[in-house]
């Protein structure tokens, strides 16, 4: 790995690497620039992300392409109602010499795509979420550390909700970002169809490796930030909490529950990374606003009035900002 003379030089290197990453990813994934930016921001912040979108928006392809460009091991788990915790973390088996041996599950990878996480029962969801929190699994009293860096990108289909097991709010809170994938524009879809119906294979080059990613994760945390930006982030989260001092009229009228302290932490951390990726050395209030929606949208709960009037979570966040 290249040694940097100063954090300023390292910050410039991260901004340059980010541009290269976007360029490589765009060879395969057309559009979805905001989604790519948010996923990469979460990775450099060492956070997990929840991807929400209808089928066919290339969620798996996107995550696989990002893993390739970052030279990270990628594994995909399709969540189904009959999936067991051992299918994710692994289990002890007996070999022919009658000795117990731990067989690692697909969770032992750098990037794990948990496809349709709400399709599996809570016990299996909990096995994944424990790994996300502890970066390790415990089998038969033995602890096994997961490889670093480790990220979980979980997907949810917002359309079919019959027979699903929605994640509780406390478990949703472990995800740094809730990233919404939308339909491509007409021109983007034309390019998608051209690329996917030809015989051409596009090669994605590796831009960063695991060691470099770990270095940049520490760099993000070392970024200096002024107190008024931290206070703005904490104040924004405080506005979402109905019934407490500092709550906004929007929260009091339309929210059942507000965001917890993790939201404040992720707003500050995300703002630091957002600033670095855009060539700045310190974040300002605009950087906090830029990542407010993916941080807050799965941490606030609308009340009946908001749902009855058809006011979306994103609209409420806009009002709070």
């Amino acid at each position: 790995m290249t040694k940097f003379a100063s954090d300023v030089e390292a910050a410039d290197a991260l901004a340059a690497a980010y541009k290269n990453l976007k360029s490589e990813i765009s060879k395969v994934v057309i559009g979805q620039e905001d989604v790519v930016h948010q996923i990469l921001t979460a990775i450099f912040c060492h956070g997990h992300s929840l991807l929400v979108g209808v089928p066919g928006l290339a969620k798996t392809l996107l995550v696989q392409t990002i893993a390739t460009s970052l030279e990270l091991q990628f594994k995909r788990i399709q969540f189904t109602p009959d999936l067991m915790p051992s299918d994710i973390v692994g289990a002890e088996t007996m070999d022919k010499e009658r000795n117990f041996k731990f067989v690692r599950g697909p969770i032992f990878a750098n990037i794990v795509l948990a496809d349709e996480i709400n399709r599996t029962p809570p016990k299996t969801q909990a096995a994944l979420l424990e790994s996300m929190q502890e970066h390790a699994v415990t089998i038969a009293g033995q602890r096994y550390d997961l490889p670093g860096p480790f990220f979980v990108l979980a997907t949810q289909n917002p359309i079919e909700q019959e027979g699903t097991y929605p994640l509780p709010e406390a478990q949703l809170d472990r995800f740094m970002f809730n990233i919404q994938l939308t339909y491509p524009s007409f021109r983007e879809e034309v390019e998608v169809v051209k690329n996917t119906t030809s015989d051409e294979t596009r090669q994605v080059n590796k831009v960063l490796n695991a060691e470099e990613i770990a270095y940049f994760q520490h760099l993000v945390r070392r970024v200096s930030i002024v107190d008024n930006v931290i206070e703005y982030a904490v104040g924004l989260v405080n506005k979402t909490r109905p019934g407490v001092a500092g709550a906004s009229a929007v929260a009091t009228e339309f929210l059942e529950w507000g965001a917890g302290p993790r939201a404040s932490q992720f707003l500050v951390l995300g703002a630091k990374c957002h600033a670095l990726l855009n060539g700045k050395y310190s974040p300002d209030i605009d950087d906090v606003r830029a990542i407010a929606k993916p941080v807050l949208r799965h941490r606030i709960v609308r009340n009946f009035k908001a749902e009855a009037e058809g006011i979306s979570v994103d609209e409420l966040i806009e009002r709070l900002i």
Side-chain angles (χ1 to χ4, degrees):
M1 176 183 158
T2 306
K3 299 296 182 183
F4 300 105
S6 65
D7 282 350
V8 170
E9 185 181 325
D12 292 337
L14 175 56
Y18 170 64
K19 289 181 181 178
N20 291 337
L21 282 169
K22 288 200 301 180
S23 177
E24 292 299 320
I25 293 166
S26 66
K27 291 179 181 178
V28 177
V29 179
I30 307 299
Q32 305 288 10
E33 292 183 6
D34 287 343
V35 174
V36 171
H37 173 75
Q38 289 168 16
I39 292 176
L40 291 176
T41 299
I43 286 174
F44 289 122
C45 292
H46 211 171
H48 310 289
S49 296
L50 186 67
L51 307 178
V52 180
V54 299
L57 296 182
K59 294 187 286 290
T60 303
L61 177 65
L62 171 61
V63 177
Q64 196 165 16
T65 304
I66 289 174
T68 302
S69 65
L70 294 175
E71 202 174 355
L72 297 176
Q73 185 183 17
F74 166 76
K75 288 186 181 177
R76 175 179 177 271
I77 307 171
Q78 180 62 53
F79 279 68
T80 56
D82 60 346
L83 198 71
M84 300 291 290
S86 58
D87 296 327
I88 297 175
V89 300
E92 282 200 328
T93 60
M94 187 179 290
D95 60 21
K96 57 185 179 182
E97 281 81 27
R98 302 182 67 82
N99 295 317
F100 283 103
K101 178 184 177 183
F102 176 62
V103 178
R104 294 169 182 252
I107 196 70
F108 286 86
N110 297 120
I111 292 184
V112 176
L113 176 62
D115 223 348
E116 295 193 294
I117 189 174
N118 56 334
R119 294 273 170 211
T120 202
K123 186 175 182 180
T124 307
Q125 290 175 353
L128 174 71
L129 294 164
E130 179 187 9
S131 304
M132 289 167 53
Q133 188 71 21
E134 305 297 332
H135 289 193
V137 298
T138 303
I139 304 293
Q142 182 69 35
R143 179 186 170 95
Y144 299 91
D145 291 325
L146 297 173
F150 173 70
F151 311 102
V152 171
L153 299 172
T155 70
Q156 283 192 161
N157 178 356
I159 299 176
E160 298 171 336
Q161 295 302 319
E162 290 185 15
T164 63
Y165 305 86
L167 288 173
E169 300 302 325
Q171 294 179 347
L172 283 173
D173 195 45
R174 300 189 187 192
F175 290 95
M176 178 177 183
F177 284 162
N178 178 322
I179 302 172
Q180 301 285 338
L181 284 83
T182 57
Y183 290 114
S185 67
F186 177 80
R187 281 292 149 209
E188 288 172 347
E189 192 162 350
V190 167
E191 288 301 313
V192 169
V193 173
K194 282 182 181 179
N195 291 346
T196 55
T197 55
S198 69
D199 197 32
E200 181 184 358
T201 301
R202 304 198 173 200
Q203 186 69 33
V204 176
N205 297 316
K206 296 175 174 59
V207 179
L208 294 174
N209 58 35
E211 185 183 3
E212 290 168 328
I213 293 168
Y215 177 85
F216 286 132
Q217 287 172 343
H218 289 292
L219 174 67
V220 167
R221 289 183 172 271
R222 291 199 299 271
V223 169
S224 61
I225 181 170
V226 295
D227 285 347
N228 74 301
V229 177
I230 295 177
E231 289 167 3
Y232 176 81
V234 175
L236 179 58
V237 173
N238 200 58
K239 283 183 183 179
T240 69
R241 300 167 181 167
V244 304
S248 73
V250 173
T252 303
E253 186 175 4
F254 294 112
L255 293 181
E256 186 79 28
W257 204 254
R262 271 202 189 110
S264 301
Q265 295 168 342
F266 284 140
L267 279 175
V268 170
L269 201 56
K272 288 183 176 186
C273 187
H274 185 271
L276 287 182
L277 297 184
N278 285 281
K280 298 191 296 185
Y281 302 123
S282 183
D284 54 28
I285 288 174
D286 287 339
D287 292 304
V288 176
R289 289 172 175 161
I291 50 97
K293 284 183 181 179
V295 168
L296 293 175
R297 62 166 58 110
H298 58 302
R299 291 185 164 88
I300 60 177
V301 181
R302 294 177 299 164
N303 61 19
F304 177 78
K305 182 177 181 181
E307 292 182 10
E309 294 183 14
I311 302 174
S312 70
V313 170
D314 280 8
E315 286 180 60
L316 295 174
I317 296 172
E318 285 278 2
R319 296 188 191 184
L320 290 167
I321 293 174

